[in-house]
Amino acid sequence: MGELTEGELLARIFPLLPLSDTVLLGPGDDAAIVAAPDGRTVISMDTLVEDHDFRLVRPNGHRTTGYDVGWKSAAQNLSDINAMGGTATSLVVSLTLPPQTPVAWVEDCARGLAAAIEGLGAIGCCVVGGDLGAGTQLVVTAAVTGTLDGRSPVLRSGARAGHTIAVAGTLGRAAAGLAILEDGRTLTDFGPSGEELVAAQLRPQPPLAAGPAAALAGASAMLDVSDGLIRDAGRIATASGVGLDLDPEALRRYAEPLEGAAALLGVEAMDWVLGGGEDHGLLATFPPDRPLPPGFAAVGSVKPGRPLVTLASRETALRGWDHFAD
Ligand SMILES: [Mg+2]
């Protein structure tokens, strides 16, 4: 890093980040200008901090690439727009880099950002700018804008008793991948599924078509599962003032593919499904009189009464990820 100026580094990064039609003015001025097609801007941001959200070297020896961190940063930001029923229009990315960071790592991060945008189908989105700075830890912060394309946003507060709870995307796979990375054994001990589960942790695949589809289908509440099904379901329960009762039988299909890895690690696959975040699937509720949109599977129903998450009507002690818990 030391040998390049900020301008020289930016000159290497920007060619790796193609622009889209929503950009009225790209990088080069003090700020970019992005179209807001329906007059409203959906906006959010997320940060990845070295040794908190990712580690450059894992206990099993895996080295986290810039590509993976770039992909994940884009994916979790795009997912938050998806969770509102919107589609992303732009990302701005701030990189805090320790001086020893190789230039190739930064270029790789830019490639990962671009690959996630394209690979996840965020057509119309691109990186329009950001910031480069020095620090003691690697930090990747991205802010994302999006459009609702005339749709109503889907909030957390609209779930009502009798509505169906449904999930799009995967549950528990990223948590299984994290457990494999944090384990002493090598990846090959887990067979071919080990590689796939680790990929789910490093390069999550939020179902970006499902958010707008849910909004069009009349979803009453929605969020992306970033901190675990139980914890995130609790957020809908609290915001909506209802109970969310999850059906363990319906959740079994998410746990079954994880059972081999769980047995090797001596844990329960269902704990990853209920408590593991970072797959960035969608959890939504729908009025009972409509068919679920493509990509969604029913996993429970909304109940009247206390804002509580239950499993087959029983309370669960399981919690998901909380950044500030010890
Ligand atoms: Mg979210």
Side-chain angles (χ1 to χ4, degrees):
M1 280 287 308
E3 70 274 20
L4 292 186
T5 65
E6 184 178 350
E8 286 167 340
L9 188 55
L10 288 173
R12 292 206 188 190
I13 294 174
F14 282 127
L16 304 172
L17 299 166
L19 292 176
S20 73
D21 294 344
T22 53
V23 181
L24 306 178
L25 183 70
D29 277 82
D30 295 284
I33 301 176
V34 179
D38 86 346
R40 298 171 293 177
T41 298
V42 193
I43 186 163
S44 180
M45 77 191 302
D46 255 306
T47 292
L48 292 170
V49 180
E50 178 186 357
D51 292 334
H52 290 269
D53 302 294
F54 66 93
R55 296 210 235 179
L56 288 176
V57 182
R58 292 285 183 179
N60 77 342
H62 179 92
R63 287 184 178 275
T64 303
T65 62
Y67 185 95
D68 289 340
V69 176
W71 178 293
K72 192 165 188 170
S73 174
Q76 65 184 19
N77 277 283
L78 296 172
S79 181
D80 278 331
I81 300 298
N82 194 37
M84 300 300 290
T87 55
T89 51
S90 76
L91 281 164
V92 283
V93 182
S94 166
L95 298 178
T96 303
L97 304 166
Q100 70 272 18
T101 311
V103 173
W105 196 96
V106 183
E107 291 174 317
D108 218 20
C109 181
R111 286 191 191 94
L113 287 162
I117 289 168
E118 193 192 339
L120 297 172
I123 301 154
C125 180
C126 60
V127 178
V128 297
D131 188 36
L132 289 173
T136 52
Q137 268 177 315
L138 258 170
V139 182
V140 181
T141 297
V144 61
T145 62
T147 176
L148 290 161
D149 286 324
R151 296 181 292 273
S152 293
V154 186
L155 311 184
R156 298 177 177 188
S157 51
R160 297 293 175 261
H163 289 192
T164 302
I165 306 168
V167 163
T170 62
L171 292 171
R173 293 178 70 79
L178 180 62
I180 291 170
L181 287 168
E182 292 292 315
D183 187 66
R185 272 159 287 201
T186 58
L187 197 48
T188 46
D189 293 335
F190 292 89
S193 78
E195 196 83 52
E196 285 172 33
L197 297 175
V198 164
Q201 162 61 218
L202 298 175
R203 296 181 297 280
Q205 304 263 342
L208 295 190
L216 285 172
S220 49
M222 185 157 66
L223 47 59
D224 68 324
V225 181
S226 52
D227 297 328
L229 182 63
I230 298 287
R231 182 174 289 273
D232 286 317
R235 291 176 171 142
I236 290 182
T238 302
S240 297
V242 291
L244 263 64
D245 188 42
L246 300 168
D247 175 7
E249 282 308 310
L251 292 171
R252 201 170 295 283
R253 59 189 284 249
Y254 301 98
E256 268 164 12
L258 309 177
E259 265 156 17
L264 263 173
L265 291 167
V267 298
E268 293 292 329
M270 191 56 94
D271 288 353
W272 286 331
V273 171
L274 296 173
E278 296 193 298
D279 285 55
H280 296 288
L282 292 174
L283 176 68
T285 60
F286 294 90
D289 53 342
R290 313 176 188 214
L292 293 178
F296 279 90
V299 297
S301 56
V302 183
K303 306 287 183 194
R306 285 196 299 153
L308 208 63
V309 180
T310 51
L311 267 180
S313 301
R314 278 196 291 275
E315 285 190 38
T316 168
L318 253 178
R319 307 288 299 177
W321 173 251
D322 183 333
H323 294 276
F324 300 105
D326 48 21

